[in-house]
């Protein structure tokens, strides 16, 4: 049986790169393609060492392969915190299992298509169709898996910590990641986060608070006059909407200094956003006080 090193290296670089790319997608990382390639190359180099030096049993041990995983994740993603490193490593293993499952499936379906030895999966085909179909199958599996995950997230009403800063005040609350929230500011096209008035009241100017306290948010003449007389006029705008139980409605919105979404290592700061003020409860059980667009996480 002949094994061509160039084919083996090429296959492993391609597969490792796709595994790392999938890991990045699941983790919502945006590493450079160079880092992903270098991580894939490290994995391919390990395979070549195993092939050329089969008597070095130490490289075939579980500990050695675990150390390789740590090296690949460090090269490709360089997570700053231990918790993020462990999470990225776990997702990397899940991605690897998905690709490995597809590779094994094709080996069993096509007995002349490759072999497995010392943890090395070697797939060959004169036209390269075996590897192509393996990758295509993984793509389909990932697509189905991703849709299921997104549906599950939607059903479970994923909650995210949200911090809003405006003027000298900040508030912290929980927001629901709402796939149906596609509101945008018509002037700047910035995404809109819908927030309950009672949750955000304390950081709003007094004149804006009076609009909602007196339930005048639908009186456009009063709103226009009050906002135009406010020193914060440039920060406020009117946002049309056709949801939240009302058609052709209008939200009063404002541009905050910034918002922070998430927590710990996954915290994300955003300035290009508008806060839309809603004068009703968004949650029946008070689990959240805002609706967050998925594009902001």
């Amino acid at each position: 049986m002949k094994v061509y090193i160039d084919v083996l290296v090429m296959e492993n670089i391609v597969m490792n790169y796709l595994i790392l790319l999938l890991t990045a997608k699941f983790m919502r990382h945006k590493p450079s393609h160079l880092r992903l390639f270098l991580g894939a190359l490290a994995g391919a180099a390990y395979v070549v060492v195993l092939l050329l030096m089969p008597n070095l049993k130490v490289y075939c041990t579980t500990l050695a392969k675990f150390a390789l995983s740590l090296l690949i994740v460090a090269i490709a993603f360089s997570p700053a915190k231990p918790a993020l490193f462990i999470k990225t490593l776990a997702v990397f293993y899940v991605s690897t299992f998905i690709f490995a499952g597809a590779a094994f499936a094709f080996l069993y379906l096509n007995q002349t298509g490759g072999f497995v030895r010392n943890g090395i999966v070697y797939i060959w085909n004169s036209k390269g169709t075996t590897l192509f179909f393996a990758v295509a199958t993984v793509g389909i599996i990932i697509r189905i898996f991703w849709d299921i995950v997104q549906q599950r997230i939607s059903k479970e009403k994923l909650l995210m910590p949200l911090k809003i800063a405006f003027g000298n005040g900040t508030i912290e609350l929980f927001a629901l990641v709402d796939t149906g929230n596609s509101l945008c500011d018509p002037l700047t096209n910035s995404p809109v986060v819908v927030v309950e008035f009672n949750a955000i009241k304390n950081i709003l100017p007094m004149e804006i608070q009076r609009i909602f306290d007196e339930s005048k948010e639908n009186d456009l003449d009063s709103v226009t006059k009050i906002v135009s007389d406010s020193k914060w006029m440039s920060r406020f705008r009117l946002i049309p909407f056709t949801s939240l139980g009302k058609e052709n409605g209008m939200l009063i919105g404002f541009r905050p200094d910034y918002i922070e979404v998430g927590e710990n290592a996954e915290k994300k700061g955003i300035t290009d956003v508008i806060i839309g003020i809603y004068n009703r409860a968004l949650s029946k059980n008070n689990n959240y006080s805002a609706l967050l667009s998925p594009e902001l996480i």
Side-chain angles (χ1 to χ4, degrees):
M1 182 184 296
K2 293 182 180 179
V3 176
Y4 298 95
I5 293 181
D6 56 341
V7 175
L8 183 65
V9 171
M10 180 199 70
E11 287 181 352
N12 276 272
I13 289 178
V14 171
M15 296 299 285
N16 291 342
Y17 183 88
L18 292 175
I19 289 170
L20 292 171
L21 194 62
L22 178 60
T23 303
K25 181 176 178 62
F26 282 148
M27 290 296 298
R28 300 184 185 276
H29 285 322
K30 292 184 179 180
S32 68
H33 291 288
L34 177 60
R35 293 185 70 97
L36 295 181
F37 174 76
L38 292 176
L41 189 61
Y46 174 81
V47 170
V48 173
V49 171
L50 284 182
L51 188 66
L52 297 180
M53 304 180 194
N55 294 326
L56 294 177
K57 300 298 183 182
V58 65
Y59 288 105
C60 301
T61 63
T62 301
L63 182 60
K65 293 173 183 176
F66 178 70
L68 175 66
S69 303
L70 297 178
L71 177 63
I72 291 174
V73 170
I75 293 174
F77 302 104
S78 187
K81 297 184 178 180
L84 182 59
F85 192 103
I86 293 173
K87 185 175 180 180
T88 305
L89 182 65
V91 174
F92 171 75
Y93 277 126
V94 171
S95 303
T96 301
F97 294 154
I98 293 174
F99 275 85
F104 279 120
F106 275 92
L107 286 180
Y108 280 110
L109 291 174
N110 180 9
Q111 293 297 324
T112 61
F115 69 87
V116 180
R117 181 177 299 166
N118 289 335
I120 302 174
V121 178
Y122 181 67
I123 302 173
W124 74 81
N125 186 282
S126 59
K127 296 181 181 179
T129 54
T130 302
L131 181 60
F132 171 79
F133 283 115
V135 172
T137 300
V138 169
I140 295 172
I141 293 172
I142 292 170
R143 180 64 185 180
I144 294 172
F145 177 74
W146 187 257
D147 288 343
I148 292 173
V149 170
Q150 291 297 97
Q151 291 174 6
R152 185 175 181 83
I153 288 175
S154 178
K155 289 180 180 179
E156 292 183 352
K157 300 180 184 291
L158 178 63
L159 300 181
M160 299 284 289
L162 174 65
K163 179 179 179 180
I164 302 173
F166 179 73
N168 295 322
T170 61
I171 57 122
E172 296 183 4
L173 45 83
F174 281 98
L176 168 66
V177 180
D178 180 14
T179 56
N181 179 13
S182 58
L183 278 177
C184 289
D185 175 24
L187 293 179
T188 62
N189 204 36
S190 301
V192 175
V193 179
V194 180
V195 182
E196 292 179 6
F197 166 66
N198 287 332
I200 203 172
K201 178 178 180 179
N202 292 337
I203 67 171
L204 294 174
M206 292 301 300
E207 60 269 27
I208 303 299
Q209 291 185 33
R210 284 196 296 271
I211 294 175
F212 293 92
D213 285 333
E214 298 172 7
S215 299
K216 293 182 177 180
E217 65 271 15
N218 294 320
D219 184 346
L220 293 183
D221 290 336
S222 296
V223 169
T224 301
K225 184 177 186 308
I226 293 172
V227 171
S228 61
D229 291 339
S230 171
K231 68 176 183 179
W232 299 99
M233 181 182 68
S234 63
R235 303 280 288 271
F236 281 84
R237 58 255 291 125
L238 296 178
I239 306 164
F241 69 90
T242 56
S243 58
L244 300 172
K246 182 177 181 179
E247 294 185 359
N248 302 320
M250 196 73 69
L251 284 179
I252 299 176
F254 67 93
R255 180 168 49 84
D257 296 328
Y258 65 89
I259 68 170
E260 289 181 349
V261 179
E263 57 186 344
N264 301 328
E266 298 181 353
K267 185 180 294 184
K268 180 180 179 182
I270 303 169
T271 56
D272 185 17
V273 68
I274 298 296
I275 303 299
I277 309 170
Y278 187 58
N279 202 13
R280 294 181 186 175
L282 292 170
S283 171
K284 293 181 180 179
N285 50 15
N286 297 318
N287 285 342
Y288 56 88
S289 305
L291 299 179
L292 192 66
S293 172
E295 68 178 276
L296 293 174
I297 61 175

